[in-house]
Amino acid sequence: MAINSSIPAGDSIFRAESLGDRALLITLGDRIDPCLNDRVHQLASLIRNSGLPGVHDLVPAYATITVHYDPSAWTGASTRPQEALKSELIRLWQNARTEALPAPRLVEIPVCYGDEFGPDLGEVAERCKLSEHEIIARHTAGEYRVYMLGFAPGFAYLGGLDPSIAAPRRETPRLKVPTGSVGIAGMQTGIYPLDIPGGWQIIGRTPRRLFKPSLEEPCLLQPGDRLRFVPMDVDTFHAWVEDHP
Amino acid sequence: MSILVGSPGILTTFQDLGRRGYQHLGIGPSGVMDEVSHRVANLLVGNPAETATMEITLAGPVLHFETDLMIALCGGDLSPEIEGQPVPQWRPVMVRGGSRLAFGKPIKGSRCYLAVDGGFRIPSVMKSASTHLAAGFGGFHGRPLRSGDRLETGPSPRDQYPALQLRFNRERRPFLGADWLASWFREVDFARPSALRAIQGPQWSSLTTDSRARFLEDTFRVTSNSDRMGFRLQGPKLSLKQPMEMLSSGVATGTIQLPPDGSPILLMADRQTTGGYPRLGELASVDIPKAAQLRPGDTLRFMIISLEEAQDLYLSREARFRELEQILADRRNR
């Protein structure tokens, strides 16, 4: 019986194709969509908990999951390694549709907005024709979704920015944006987990560490999390930093 | 057991087989560029495959050995020498305390791996000793080696290769290599252009017919804009049948991306975990070590093979490693 790697079922698709000889790319859709992304995280969770042999990394993204595996763990069956793994994944996906979604975690990110921590807050306010106060209010009103992590350790691709506070990237990127900086770039908002160059409009800074390699769980955020920004004042910011070396 | 770093070389870092289990957090695998040379070096000195080795790039470091040590050097020929005498590669070598290992001109390839009997004492971060250069953690304090760094190693030499050790103790030479070598894996073909086998990627069919032909027939050059993250290639400009806006999605080591400027990028060990460019193809895993030995200016060509062939090649290579392991297990007693 041929293994069907592309299974439409109603409006949900499942396509599995090779990404080289040690990875499989599973595609569940083609857009940025919260429900689709929920299914991505649900399937990733199922795969992780299934203990499939030789699978050492799962990378969920907006609409895909990349499964990194060792082909040596999938020999011995009458089918080739990738076909054997694919059928297991299809089976998991078919079960997924009857399983409840795991409850997402909600992470609160305290942010000190403006002044030295948010040098671009004024510019964003001007572009959006709102007061700085309004920008902060709208930024903290929303609940954001962590669609995926990528680009740098602990860097979250967030969805849910209020379109009225979207602002284009800076014309000249900064050579170094301090760790913890909270920024806006187009319809994206995010937090810099490291000191890296960047062109985002920086509106504030969080004292929370997004990434600490020595920790058991090195990243504060995980794919599928929900996030809220909470305003904090400068004194609280400095107190926090002192309390959490 | 200590090694003192004199001059550090252009890019000398500790790497192992890569950091696994954290890519979903944006933490790339890092790890050795040339897995084969790393593994053979470790096998030769009786270390487990996952033991960190020192990855040496092009212009190598000067290392002062404070005590006697058994080492193995595998990879490209970067002209390792002690007191003006070339140090042989692909075999166990006893080095006397007080010796100074230096590297001269890179003759062939670009990366060479130094394994020491007993391993380097490198702390594990997220279950790996690999250096994550961009984020500055792992390996030796998250950075390339610098002058004055002191490296600790496990106790050496351990109870292996008794005949070699006996001869070494009798003779007064600063180093002594075994009179045999692990030649099986020394077959990295340094002829140029290098032929790299790849399998079709998810967006292969989005290339124009002409671009697909160009990809298979033309020669590409590794530009100087190339490093452990990836190699920017110069050659025929490739184009898609129509412009694509792709969502960010996972990539693999060996993925060949096509950015809007039409010049492919070959992703290597320090790649990011996700990307938004079309993926034309992925190198067969067995040819990643070959790519790892390319230098800026080197030329290469691509050959498309099937997934089945690529996985067969991978499984055969693993079988050969198991054989080599058994042969060496026996030799270590002699």
Side-chain angles (χ1 to χ4, degrees):
Chain A
M1 188 184 102
I3 303 294
N4 200 343
S5 340
S6 195
I7 303 185
D11 61 351
S12 62
I13 63 164
F14 178 101
R15 190 169 69 243
E17 55 198 319
S18 48
L19 191 71
D21 51 26
R22 286 195 275 189
L24 241 163
L25 175 69
I26 300 175
T27 304
L28 299 184
D30 60 3
R31 65 205 61 193
I32 299 178
D33 172 87
C35 294
L36 172 55
N37 191 246
D38 274 344
R39 286 207 296 281
V40 167
H41 294 305
Q42 182 190 30
L43 180 56
S45 176
L46 272 176
I47 299 172
R48 191 171 303 116
N49 296 333
S50 68
L52 292 178
V55 173
H56 57 81
D57 277 278
L58 288 174
V59 183
Y62 287 107
T64 60
I65 301 174
T66 302
V67 182
H68 294 268
Y69 70 101
D70 184 351
S72 306
W74 291 85
T75 57
S78 53
T79 47
R80 317 299 302 263
Q82 187 161 277
E83 290 307 315
L85 174 58
K86 252 193 221 180
S87 11
E88 280 304 303
L89 293 170
I90 288 171
R91 202 180 49 80
L92 281 172
W93 176 75
Q94 283 167 338
N95 291 339
R97 263 119 28 83
T98 61
E99 295 237 348
L101 283 168
R105 304 184 321 168
L106 177 64
V107 182
E108 285 201 347
I109 305 284
V111 181
C112 187
Y113 286 94
D115 292 324
E116 58 167 309
F117 293 141
D120 301 320
L121 181 60
E123 162 123 8
V124 172
E126 241 188 75
R127 282 181 173 277
C128 301
K129 308 212 186 318
L130 295 165
S131 67
E132 291 189 9
H133 182 82
E134 259 303 301
I135 301 286
I136 296 170
R138 294 182 192 199
H139 196 250
T140 53
E143 188 178 275
Y144 300 85
R145 159 190 294 264
V146 178
Y147 272 99
M148 56 180 274
L149 267 63
F151 167 66
F155 183 82
Y157 286 67
L158 299 179
L161 181 71
D162 182 332
S164 67
I165 60 172
R169 283 183 159 82
R170 288 168 55 80
E171 272 185 32
T172 315
R174 291 190 171 87
L175 286 175
K176 193 168 105 157
V177 177
T179 303
S181 292
V182 176
I184 292 177
M187 274 301 296
Q188 285 187 274
T189 186
I191 312 163
Y192 281 72
L194 304 166
D195 288 352
I196 36 184
W200 291 34
Q201 305 280 7
I202 304 303
I203 61 173
R205 197 181 304 175
T206 179
R208 289 198 83 169
R209 296 282 295 272
L210 271 291
F211 172 62
K212 204 164 174 190
S214 55
L215 295 180
E216 180 69 31
E217 282 197 14
C219 293
L220 180 63
L221 297 171
Q222 291 179 19
D225 283 349
R226 305 292 193 265
L227 181 160
R228 281 191 169 279
F229 294 106
V230 177
M232 88 191 318
D233 62 49
V234 177
D235 293 327
T236 317
F237 183 103
H238 290 301
W240 179 296
V241 170
E242 264 190 55
D243 288 343
H244 303 84
Chain B
M1 310 253 124
S2 286
I3 297 177
L4 186 65
V5 178
S7 78
I10 270 186
L11 180 66
T12 309
T13 59
F14 285 104
Q15 306 289 350
D16 58 19
L17 288 173
R19 187 163 281 110
R20 288 186 158 187
Y22 295 89
Q23 289 193 52
H24 64 291
L25 300 177
I27 302 167
S30 308
V32 291
M33 292 280 276
D34 175 353
E35 181 182 339
V36 167
S37 297
H38 160 90
R39 287 168 76 173
V40 177
N42 270 332
L43 274 179
L44 286 168
V45 295
N47 290 346
E50 53 283 359
T51 311
T53 56
M54 183 188 291
E55 180 178 89
I56 295 163
T57 316
L58 290 170
V62 172
L63 302 173
H64 299 272
F65 288 74
E66 299 193 338
T67 50
D68 291 359
L69 203 53
M70 181 185 294
I71 67 169
L73 278 163
C74 297
D77 183 355
L78 307 184
S79 306
E81 53 94 357
I82 292 176
E83 288 184 20
Q85 294 304 308
V87 176
Q89 298 197 213
W90 302 95
R91 70 197 80 200
V93 177
M94 291 295 307
V95 177
R96 206 168 299 281
S99 299
R100 177 184 172 278
L101 171 66
F103 292 79
K105 243 177 85 124
I107 304 289
K108 269 197 268 191
S110 57
R111 289 166 174 96
C112 160
Y113 295 83
L114 171 66
V116 300
D117 168 22
F120 292 98
R121 290 228 170 96
I122 302 292
S124 203
V125 180
M126 285 180 247
K127 307 197 198 82
S128 166
S130 289
T131 312
H132 193 295
L133 285 170
F137 70 88
F140 191 82
H141 304 293
R143 60 166 175 75
L145 293 187
R146 291 183 200 147
S147 257
D149 284 340
R150 169 165 257 108
L151 312 171
E152 298 303 326
T153 68
S156 173
R158 291 172 296 170
D159 199 6
Q160 53 185 348
Y161 305 113
L164 176 66
Q165 295 205 38
L166 197 63
R167 264 185 71 202
F168 179 69
N169 291 332
R170 271 205 324 257
E171 300 181 11
R172 295 310 307 147
R173 285 189 275 167
F175 67 89
L176 181 67
D179 55 12
W180 51 270
L181 55 89
S183 61
W184 287 14
F185 290 93
R186 228 187 23 156
E187 71 216 14
V188 175
D189 170 14
F190 291 104
R192 296 289 174 263
S194 192
L196 299 176
R197 290 163 294 194
I199 78 168
Q200 292 174 11
Q203 280 80 48
W204 170 258
S205 53
S206 303
L207 276 174
T208 63
T209 316
D210 184 61
S211 287
R212 269 176 270 158
R214 298 271 72 73
F215 182 83
L216 294 172
E217 292 162 24
D218 291 8
T219 297
F220 293 86
R221 177 182 302 273
V222 178
T223 68
S224 56
N225 221 342
S226 301
D227 57 19
R228 281 182 46 91
M229 280 190 69
F231 298 166
R232 285 195 175 254
L233 305 180
Q234 176 196 72
K237 295 283 188 191
L238 305 177
S239 37
L240 301 171
K241 289 177 194 158
Q242 57 215 31
M244 289 179 83
E245 261 304 314
M246 274 189 48
L247 294 178
S248 287
S249 169
V251 292
T253 303
T255 291
I256 303 160
Q257 294 179 311
L258 188 67
D261 70 0
S263 293
I265 303 174
L266 172 60
L267 296 182
M268 299 298 276
D270 280 351
R271 60 175 175 81
Q272 292 174 349
T273 54
T274 56
Y277 294 143
R279 290 150 301 190
L280 307 183
E282 291 82 26
L283 286 195
S285 290
V286 296
D287 277 355
I288 293 176
K290 205 160 154 185
Q293 293 296 343
L294 291 170
R295 306 185 220 177
D298 280 348
T299 51
L300 61 101
R301 305 174 63 122
F302 291 108
M303 252 179 71
I304 292 288
I305 64 173
S306 69
L307 167 71
E308 287 70 32
E309 210 181 320
Q311 287 192 329
D312 281 346
L313 286 167
Y314 175 81
L315 294 171
S316 308
R317 187 186 78 177
E318 292 308 296
R320 290 174 78 196
F321 270 120
R322 285 193 293 275
E323 285 174 38
L324 181 62
E325 210 167 345
Q326 291 193 318
I327 291 175
L328 289 178
D330 173 61
R331 274 205 186 247
R332 274 199 284 278
N333 296 328
R334 302 208 221 135

